[in-house]
Amino acid sequence: TGETAYAKMEKVNAELFLFTYGALVSQLLQDLNDVTEVNTQIEKMGFNIGTRLIEEFLAKSGVSGCKSFEETGETIARVACKMFLGVTGYTRNWSADKQTFSLVIDENPLCEFVEIPEHAHGLLYSNIICGVIRGALEALQLIVQVRVLKDVLRDDETNEFEVKLIQVNEEQFFGDDD
Amino acid sequence: TGETAYAKMEKVNAELFLFTYGALVSQLLQDLNDVTEVNTQIEKMGFNIGTRLIEEFLAKSGVSGCKSFEETGETIARVACKMFLGVTGYTRNWSADKQTFSLVIDENPLCEFVEIPEHAHGLLYSNIICGVIRGALEALQLIVQVRVLKDVLRDDETNEFEVKLIQVNEEQFFGDDD
């Protein structure tokens, strides 16, 4: 479970992480001076981070493979969120074909202490999470699109991400044949 | 103690932090294209982070004030390092006047998974720690200089930082008179 995996991992102070991430976003805002471009960059960085975190996830979580995309979604919400962010999320709004869902993180620690300045209107501060999910799943041969639907930093009541399965690459997935 | 404070704090996965910090440094290298400038920037970011982390430190560590700079040094090594990085450091090479010491962190988690690329020769990857110490102490009215003496990423056998007390500002320090 998420709790067990969380207990097993090496951890650092949450604020150290939050302030470091804040410094990264500020730096990008200053350098790129274009909010849309910053959003893209943040997502790309998240993608790279996700492709590396997946190994840690597989090593420590005890999760060995998901039988369906629904199970993948639940695993992200209940195990991965707890493991990496220290909070548990949940899914909702599954499409009829079970290929799209919302990941909800009511208490997104990433957004603590953050205020988006006026000149950065439109900044998707949590876009790194979209990238991490996309990168981690792509490493598992699941091609997905992820986007921010709701964001407390934009005065929504929660943080919600839409995750949409686009394609399942053949090799390795479900890992039974090799 | 460091252990108690560490247990009390909100924490995130260490690798998430490390990869995020790695992304920050890569971004700076790419944008500034000058290793010396990157070292300066990293230290400045650390300074800003330190001025904010000190509040968390005072709130959670139970440390209420140090009677001497020696005690300050030991507190950084034994309590603050554990609290924020999850590892314990130690001090050595105290100057005769007790105004300068080395902080040694044998297992600096910041350096895990990192290799400095050829084109970034001279990069002080741990310079953020110099900045954090400088920022946190300046918030306590202690003006210090901090520099990297040894760095495992530069093939030294450990990570060592020199911390030198330059000036004690009058107001608030030692907190007994106000």
Side-chain angles (χ1 to χ4, degrees):
Chain A
T1 69
E3 288 290 346
T4 324
Y6 180 71
K8 262 194 281 187
M9 315 196 67
E10 286 190 57
K11 289 176 278 285
V12 298
N13 178 264
E15 296 201 355
L16 177 62
F17 166 66
L18 298 180
F19 295 155
T20 302
Y21 181 60
L24 171 62
V25 176
S26 299
Q27 183 66 31
L28 286 169
L29 277 170
Q30 192 183 308
D31 292 344
L32 301 175
N33 207 15
D34 174 317
V35 169
T36 311
E37 188 54 33
V38 172
N39 291 341
T40 305
Q41 275 295 323
I42 292 175
E43 201 274 347
K44 272 193 206 166
M45 285 180 178
F47 179 87
N48 291 330
I49 293 171
T51 60
R52 300 183 67 178
L53 284 182
I54 188 68
E55 287 177 44
E56 168 95 338
F57 178 79
L58 294 175
K60 302 272 171 65
S61 67
V63 172
S64 59
C66 293
K67 304 265 178 293
S68 64
F69 193 57
E70 244 185 309
E71 201 179 318
T72 303
E74 292 302 327
T75 304
I76 293 170
R78 302 195 181 279
V79 187
C81 283
K82 178 67 191 172
M83 232 170 126
F84 292 108
L85 296 173
V87 296
T88 303
Y90 56 94
T91 69
R92 68 179 175 199
N93 297 343
W94 280 92
S95 63
D97 63 4
K98 305 294 184 192
Q99 306 290 285
T100 306
F101 67 94
S102 278
L103 168 67
V104 186
I105 306 176
D106 284 331
E107 311 264 315
N108 183 355
L110 204 61
C111 301
E112 270 186 82
F113 314 110
V114 179
E115 249 179 86
I116 305 293
E118 197 59 44
H119 72 273
H121 189 76
L123 178 69
L124 297 170
Y125 195 80
S126 294
N127 226 19
I128 189 169
I129 295 180
C130 297
V132 169
I133 295 173
R134 189 169 69 86
L137 291 184
E138 192 157 316
L140 300 174
Q141 313 299 328
L142 294 172
I143 311 303
V144 295
Q145 275 172 5
V146 189
R147 65 190 178 103
V148 174
L149 287 186
K150 288 186 181 167
D151 183 345
V152 290
L153 296 177
R154 305 204 289 181
D155 293 329
D156 296 323
E157 82 284 7
T158 189
N159 302 280
E160 184 169 345
F161 303 88
E162 183 190 73
V163 184
K164 184 175 188 173
L165 181 61
I166 304 299
Q167 191 187 319
V168 180
N169 286 346
E170 300 243 326
E171 42 165 341
Q172 289 182 339
F173 188 58
F174 294 140
D176 286 351
D177 334 6
D178 54 345
Chain B
T1 70
E3 288 291 344
T4 325
Y6 180 72
K8 260 194 283 187
M9 317 195 66
E10 284 191 57
K11 290 177 277 287
V12 297
N13 177 263
E15 297 202 356
L16 177 62
F17 166 66
L18 298 180
F19 296 154
T20 302
Y21 181 60
L24 171 63
V25 176
S26 299
Q27 183 67 32
L28 286 168
L29 277 171
Q30 193 184 308
D31 291 343
L32 301 174
N33 208 15
D34 176 315
V35 170
T36 311
E37 188 54 33
V38 172
N39 290 341
T40 305
Q41 275 295 324
I42 292 175
E43 202 273 347
K44 270 193 207 165
M45 284 179 180
F47 179 87
N48 290 330
I49 293 171
T51 59
R52 300 183 67 177
L53 284 182
I54 188 67
E55 286 177 44
E56 168 94 338
F57 178 79
L58 295 174
K60 302 273 171 68
S61 68
V63 172
S64 59
C66 293
K67 304 265 178 293
S68 65
F69 193 56
E70 244 184 312
E71 200 179 320
T72 304
E74 293 301 328
T75 304
I76 293 171
R78 302 194 181 278
V79 187
C81 284
K82 177 68 192 173
M83 230 169 126
F84 292 108
L85 295 173
V87 296
T88 304
Y90 56 94
T91 69
R92 68 179 177 201
N93 297 341
W94 279 93
S95 63
D97 64 4
K98 305 294 184 192
Q99 306 290 285
T100 306
F101 67 94
S102 279
L103 168 68
V104 186
I105 306 177
D106 284 331
E107 311 262 317
N108 182 354
L110 205 61
C111 301
E112 269 187 82
F113 315 108
V114 179
E115 249 179 87
I116 306 293
E118 197 57 46
H119 72 273
H121 190 76
L123 178 69
L124 297 171
Y125 195 80
S126 295
N127 225 20
I128 189 169
I129 295 180
C130 296
V132 169
I133 295 172
R134 189 169 69 84
L137 291 184
E138 192 157 316
L140 299 174
Q141 312 300 329
L142 294 171
I143 311 302
V144 295
Q145 275 171 4
V146 190
R147 64 191 178 104
V148 174
L149 287 185
K150 289 185 179 168
D151 184 345
V152 291
L153 295 177
R154 304 205 289 180
D155 293 329
D156 296 323
E157 81 284 7
T158 190
N159 302 280
E160 185 169 343
F161 304 86
E162 184 190 74
V163 184
K164 184 176 188 171
L165 181 61
I166 304 299
Q167 191 187 318
V168 179
N169 285 347
E170 302 243 327
E171 41 167 341
Q172 288 182 337
F173 188 57
F174 295 138
D176 286 351
D177 331 5
D178 52 342

